[in-house]
Amino acid sequence: MKKKITATVLSQKEIAPRIFDMWIATDLAACAKAGQFIGVYPKDRSTLLPRPISICQVSDKKDALRIVYRIAGQGTAEFSSYQEGDSVEILGTLGNGFPTEAAEGKKVFLMGGGIGIPPMLELARELPASTEKQIIVGYRDDQLFLKEDLEKNGTVYIATEDGSVGTKGNVLDAIREQNLTADVIYACGPTPMLRAIKEYAAEKGIKCYISLEEKMACGIGACLACVCQSKDVDHHSNVHNKRICKDGPVFLAEEVEL
Ligand code: FES
């Protein structure tokens, strides 16, 4: 189900420099799942396109969505000024989401880097009880947003670029340092991180799902900024392009070129 609605802001706070945590009351939550996103429309109509923002959490009653986003431009700067009771126009739910059934009875890595961390929270909440959840998150520094929420849903390992907390380096450095292993990987973060994880998964023969949400712009199939090459062979051209916002944002790592 996808629809455009006016929702109400329940709360908003800054949880790290320029990173905001907003809860929105909306019945779109009833059908939302981890790895999906919503389009949020700025009130400033200099652009008609929404900003795609991933779903960080669905409330237990399935009547509210939590989004955690970084200020990246005018639109997100405007969202950061919203307060309890403000209305916000949103479109959702968008995208395919993570396939959680692949984790049944398995040992998994949930790997999030930077603003790719938020979708890992809802994913950790949705994975089956039989899944062993190892959540590996990479931050720039000691601003460990969402750490406590993640710890309630799995075992958390931290990497920081500046070495201030956990392993110095990235999420792959953390799993090597801790000698961690997994049967399935779910990952979201900057493209260089996903490229490295894709290589790691191929080398170890691990099934790996990556969310390419970082490459999206409008999120609704209108701008074509998100096209990526896929391995699917098209009968006519031998290549096939996918729109990340429509066909993804989650793909099997081996299906897409990064
Ligand atoms: Fe605009 Fe996909 S993000 S078409």
Side-chain angles (χ1 to χ4, degrees), residues 194-248:
L194 296 180
R195 196 176 289 132
I197 291 173
K198 177 181 164 163
E199 258 175 46
Y200 170 86
E203 184 190 306
K204 302 272 181 194
I206 304 173
K207 187 164 237 183
C208 177
Y209 296 95
I210 52 176
S211 172
L212 304 183
E213 60 171 48
E214 191 202 48
K215 288 189 157 188
M216 287 192 295
C218 73
I220 55 168
C223 72
L224 300 183
C226 67
V227 169
C228 73
Q229 277 207 339
S230 91
K231 286 251 169 78
D232 279 358
V233 177
D234 179 279
H235 289 306
H236 301 290
S237 59
N238 269 359
V239 281
H240 197 86
N241 289 334
K242 284 188 190 289
R243 272 181 297 175
I244 290 169
C245 65
K246 287 280 180 186
D247 302 313

Side-chain angles (χ1 to χ4, degrees), residues 95-116:
N96 55 356
F98 287 107
T100 51
E101 60 289 346
E104 192 78 55
K106 299 272 172 54
K107 208 169 159 182
V108 308
F109 289 156
L110 295 87
M111 306 176 94
I115 209 63

